[in-house]
Amino acid sequence: MSRRAKSSLRTLARLFWYARPYVPLVVITIVFSLVYAGGLTGRAYLTRPLIDDIAAPNLEVSSLEDLIASGQVEAPEDMELQRQQLKSQIQDRLGDLLLAAIVLVLGMPTARLIRDYAGEWVMTRVGVDMQTHLCQRVLGLPLSRFEQEGRSDLIARMMSDTLVANRAQVLIFGEALQDIAIVIAAAGVAFYLNWRLSLVALLVGPAVAIILQVFGQRIRRSSQARQEQIAQVVARMLQILGGIKVIKAFRAEKLELDAFKRENFRYFRRAMRVIRNRVLSRSFVELASQAAFMSLLLLGIYAIVEGFWDLSLGVLTAFLFISAMLYRPTKNLTRAYNAIQDALPAAGRVFEILDAPAEPEDPPDAIALERVGKGIRFRDVRFNYGREAVLRGVDLELPIGQVVAIVGRTGSGKTTLADLLLRFYDPQEGQIEIDGVDLRRVRRDSLRELVTVVTQEPILFDTTILENIRYGRPDAAFEVVVDAARAAHVHEFIEELPEGYETTVGELGARLSGGQRQRITIARAILRDPSVLIFDEATSALDARAERAVYEAIWNLMEGRTVLLIAHRLSSVRAADRIAVLEDGRIVEEGSHEDLLARSGLYRELVELQLSPMTSR
Ligand code: ADP
């Protein structure tokens, strides 16, 4: 078996695996599929007794009577007896037939109902389970997976690929199971009726297999390309949604639409390649099955005329009925096979995410820290995002009880430093220690309990303001939430809202200013009550006075804790206990505001740049 076939089988097996918790229902589906298929085949089989036991003897007797009436033949002595026998034979068979008819009429819809419901239940549930599983894994992925192109790729996989993969599950647990049952039942009866004719009919098998194989492979390949293209389309959509203000302001609607069209048409072409192969495959299978049916018909008639193979008219008719009955399931199975080939790459893409390495596991002896006693220390930390080095040996101390500010030009690596402290990434060289313990040996959940960040981009969730502030401490008492909001100087604003803390962020929409949003996220961080609080440009949307008020409140609250302050506006870091200047991936200066000003180094240069009205940027 080729490697590709093996991996397809593995993917298929994993899709099946999702039905594991629902085995009883799967068994019910299979059993009732078989019952239904048996019913269908039985119905076709009935033509044999109808013709051979009833119609044909009846025909024989009546033609004999015709001959007697026309005087060509003399009536045999037991003519009456023969007629009586026939009559009772018909009556006997009629009873059986009637019973069979009742069983079929009532039994088949019932079987179908049970099978359809159980099958649909399993496949819908399995789709939901897979998506939930995916979401769970996505939440555990390292941050690097969520950057720009990674994001649209993830959306495409979470939305489109899971749907397409679920289609394979639908086909497996729905139609396919049923159709396979019909094919098996029909083949069994066909062999029972006449095995020689059945063997001839089987010849169509290899032909169909070759057709399916050839086109299946093509479908798989083109479907992979199509699914990858969906990520590109999603990327354009995200760009439009995220950049709509700029797009409108720069009148770039046409530009965006053209770009979208380009990607979407590429999707169309790739989708059509899948469809072309699917349609061709189906037509060739159709050709093979039509040819097979006609050949069987001709061969059967020839066999009856020539009197070989022990074929009666009833057997041939039943046989042809059964062959005709196979037509629809064969067509369905072809479709299902193609759709499964189509779904395999999508399923593979889903499994890629499920198998993607999550954030590295905590080592077994990882320590759960309760609080930070002494402080944090960066030791010769070196880090890059894959290309150029961002940090080239940072040494920095953040003792408990101090506010330490990091300043530096844009892109100098300040945010990266904060991300390392939260272990969104690990340094390639050097280490970060918390009370002398390497961060990699601290349990991640306890670390993120101790260290909290407020980012420049105030991220609010679409729920009430109360829930937003309580985000990291869902069980916090209302009074505690209010205290945090007061410290963040946002309590008064919230009080004035029509529904106060119960107002939802979505309702407010654009009525929440950037500054108000920032203050809500600050309140959220304060409520968390961390040992180390990182402010990454967290007050950039506040005016200088509001900023100072927020800082003062936080300094008071943060007694015995550490604040790492990243700020672009240098006036806001003046009050920090210590200021570290980051440049070229290293800390080049460190000291209080006054110390650094006196030193006429980079800090002074930056301060002067910001103060000078002509050159300030
Ligand atoms: P600052 O916060 O000082 O503006 P950052 O830490 O955000 O600087 O970025 C430092 C450098 O690392 C920049 O050159 C930036 O382009 C690069 N960078 C930041 N984040 C990523 C990322 N996720 N992937 C690749 N490069 C990044």
Side-chain angles (χ1 to χ4, degrees):
M1 202 189 298
S2 73
R3 231 184 58 223
R4 192 193 295 265
K6 254 192 213 144
S7 94
S8 295
L9 272 183
R10 217 175 11 244
T11 310
L12 211 57
R14 279 184 82 170
L15 284 173
F16 263 114
W17 195 240
Y18 275 94
R20 191 175 32 111
Y22 316 116
V23 164
L25 275 178
V26 173
V27 171
I28 289 179
T29 311
I30 294 176
V31 168
F32 281 90
S33 294
L34 287 172
V35 170
Y36 184 75
L40 269 186
T41 325
R43 199 177 60 189
Y45 175 78
L46 278 184
T47 47
R48 190 192 78 89
L50 272 176
I51 291 179
D52 282 354
D53 300 348
I54 298 174
N58 195 24
L59 220 64
E60 239 169 69
V61 171
S62 49
S63 56
L64 187 64
E65 279 173 341
D66 284 349
L67 290 176
I68 296 166
S70 63
Q72 292 175 27
V73 179
E74 236 171 70
E77 276 170 25
D78 59 351
M79 180 72 204
E80 198 47 39
L81 194 67
Q82 257 191 36
R83 201 173 305 154
Q84 283 305 322
Q85 263 177 357
L86 178 66
K87 211 178 223 167
S88 75
Q89 192 182 336
I90 291 175
Q91 264 158 5
D92 280 0
R93 303 301 286 164
L94 221 54
D96 291 349
L97 281 174
L98 220 58
L99 188 67
I102 290 171
V103 169
L104 285 179
V105 167
L106 294 181
M108 283 178 62
T110 313
R112 173 113 207 196
L113 177 86
I114 297 173
R115 159 191 93 88
D116 279 358
Y117 192 79
E120 300 257 0
W121 194 97
V122 171
M123 61 216 191
T124 310
R125 183 56 188 264
V126 151
V128 168
D129 287 356
M130 195 164 73
Q131 208 151 20
T132 309
H133 188 195
L134 187 65
C135 184
Q136 181 203 343
R137 297 304 302 239
V138 165
L139 283 169
L141 287 177
L143 214 61
S144 52
R145 281 305 289 250
F146 294 88
E147 280 144 22
Q148 287 307 324
E149 78 244 56
R151 198 173 294 197
S152 42
D153 180 64
L154 278 179
I155 293 179
R157 291 180 198 235
M158 289 174 89
M159 306 290 298
S160 168
D161 288 306
T162 48
L163 274 184
V164 177
N166 186 229
R167 208 159 65 208
Q169 291 165 328
V170 168
L171 286 161
I172 292 167
F173 296 114
E175 297 292 307
L177 218 53
Q178 170 75 75
D179 290 325
I180 290 173
I182 294 179
V183 170
I184 291 174
V189 175
F191 266 90
Y192 171 73
L193 280 171
N194 190 298
W195 62 270
R196 294 189 187 87
L197 210 54
S198 305
L199 279 184
V200 175
L202 270 190
L203 284 181
V204 75
V208 170
I210 290 172
I211 296 169
L212 289 183
Q213 175 65 25
V214 168
F215 287 99
Q217 206 168 17
R218 290 201 205 170
I219 289 172
R220 227 164 30 225
R221 226 172 305 141
S222 39
S223 149
Q224 172 88 29
R226 184 197 59 201
Q227 291 306 113
E228 279 162 11
Q229 180 58 23
I230 290 179
Q232 300 305 316
V233 176
V234 172
R236 300 309 313 190
M237 287 175 177
L238 285 184
Q239 175 153 326
I240 291 171
L241 295 183
I244 190 65
K245 254 191 190 172
V246 179
I247 294 171
K248 281 186 183 292
F250 286 80
R251 307 205 44 210
E253 291 94 339
K254 188 167 167 344
L255 204 79
E256 281 302 319
L257 183 62
D258 286 345
F260 184 80
K261 257 194 211 159
R262 217 168 27 244
E263 295 298 346
N264 216 14
F265 263 86
R266 191 169 295 154
Y267 164 77
F268 173 70
R269 281 195 300 274
R270 293 183 175 188
M272 281 315 293
R273 205 174 307 152
V274 178
I275 290 169
R276 219 161 26 238
N277 284 310
R278 199 194 298 155
V279 170
L280 277 174
S281 160
R282 232 187 290 168
S283 307
F284 276 113
V285 169
E286 170 106 32
L287 176 71
S289 64
Q290 294 289 5
F293 185 78
M294 292 317 284
S295 321
L296 280 179
L297 180 63
L298 294 176
L299 185 66
I301 291 173
Y302 184 66
I304 290 178
V305 172
E306 292 293 316
F308 62 87
W309 284 4
D310 191 19
L311 205 59
S312 72
L313 185 60
V315 170
L316 179 64
T317 315
F319 193 90
L320 290 176
F321 254 106
I322 284 172
S323 313
M325 204 186 78
L326 276 177
Y327 175 71
R328 213 173 50 95
T330 313
K331 222 169 61 175
N332 285 348
L333 281 176
T334 309
R335 209 180 48 199
Y337 179 84
N338 289 339
I340 288 170
Q341 296 308 310
D342 185 347
L344 281 178
R349 283 162 51 83
V350 172
F351 293 143
E352 256 169 41
I353 298 289
L354 294 181
D355 298 340
E359 289 184 287
E361 290 255 338
D362 291 332
D365 59 344
I367 302 162
L369 283 182
E370 300 264 314
R371 52 185 213 95
V372 184
K374 296 205 291 282
I376 287 170
R377 185 182 195 128
F378 286 70
R379 278 183 197 274
D380 195 28
V381 168
R382 289 159 198 270
F383 179 77
N384 63 64
Y385 286 102
R387 290 171 309 234
E388 212 177 323
V390 175
L391 303 178
R392 305 163 195 260
V394 169
D395 288 293
L396 182 67
E397 254 187 275
L398 310 174
I400 268 308
Q402 280 201 3
V403 176
V404 178
I406 309 254
V407 300
R409 297 181 221 269
T410 308
S412 56
K414 304 183 292 291
T415 299
T416 304
L417 219 52
D419 286 351
L420 291 179
L421 187 49
L422 278 156
R423 278 202 75 198
F424 290 149
Y425 307 95
D426 282 329
Q428 277 99 9
E429 280 178 59
Q431 60 207 43
I432 304 169
E433 290 167 358
I434 199 162
D435 287 353
V437 182
D438 190 324
L439 279 196
R440 282 170 281 219
R441 293 199 36 239
V442 176
R443 278 184 44 184
R444 203 186 300 267
D445 53 356
S446 80
L447 174 72
R448 290 184 187 159
E449 196 72 22
L450 295 174
V451 183
T452 294
V453 66
V454 187
T455 53
Q456 177 176 17
E457 184 68 29
I459 293 168
L460 297 184
F461 300 94
D462 187 13
T463 167
T464 61
I465 290 183
L466 180 67
E467 299 287 305
N468 261 295
I469 298 179
R470 269 215 285 235
Y471 194 66
R473 287 248 184 288
D475 51 356
F478 183 69
E479 298 75 51
V480 188
V481 174
V482 171
D483 287 344
R486 281 220 170 88
H489 288 264
V490 69
H491 173 70
E492 286 77 23
F493 163 74
I494 299 172
E495 285 281 84
E496 281 167 20
L497 293 173
E499 289 169 71
Y501 280 84
E502 293 298 334
T503 316
T504 63
V505 169
E507 263 172 66
L508 289 171
R511 277 193 292 142
L512 267 180
S513 74
Q516 284 150 354
R517 284 170 185 272
Q518 273 190 340
R519 290 185 216 208
I520 294 174
T521 57
I522 291 170
R524 177 195 292 160
I526 293 173
L527 184 67
R528 201 72 212 268
D529 192 21
S531 284
V532 180
L533 180 60
I534 305 171
F535 263 51
D536 188 355
E537 306 264 2
T539 48
S540 56
L542 303 187
D543 59 53
R545 200 206 309 220
E547 183 179 55
R548 185 158 322 148
V550 168
Y551 280 166
E552 271 167 17
I554 291 169
W555 293 181
N556 288 336
L557 284 175
M558 291 300 287
E559 211 163 309
R561 293 145 215 260
T562 292
V563 180
L564 178 64
L565 195 63
I566 297 172
H568 193 64
R569 199 189 299 150
L570 294 180
S571 58
S572 50
V573 305
R574 205 172 289 179
D577 295 304
R578 209 148 42 83
I579 299 169
V581 183
L582 191 63
E583 173 79 356
D584 282 336
R586 286 192 193 84
I587 305 289
V588 290
E589 282 176 53
E590 218 176 326
S592 69
H593 172 70
E594 287 74 24
D595 290 348
L596 290 179
L597 269 190
R599 222 182 279 176
S600 342
L602 182 60
Y603 181 75
R604 191 189 174 113
E605 192 185 313
L606 292 171
V607 170
E608 279 168 359
L609 268 175
Q610 286 201 355
L611 289 179
S612 148
M614 293 307 288
T615 49
S616 78
R617 273 181 292 160

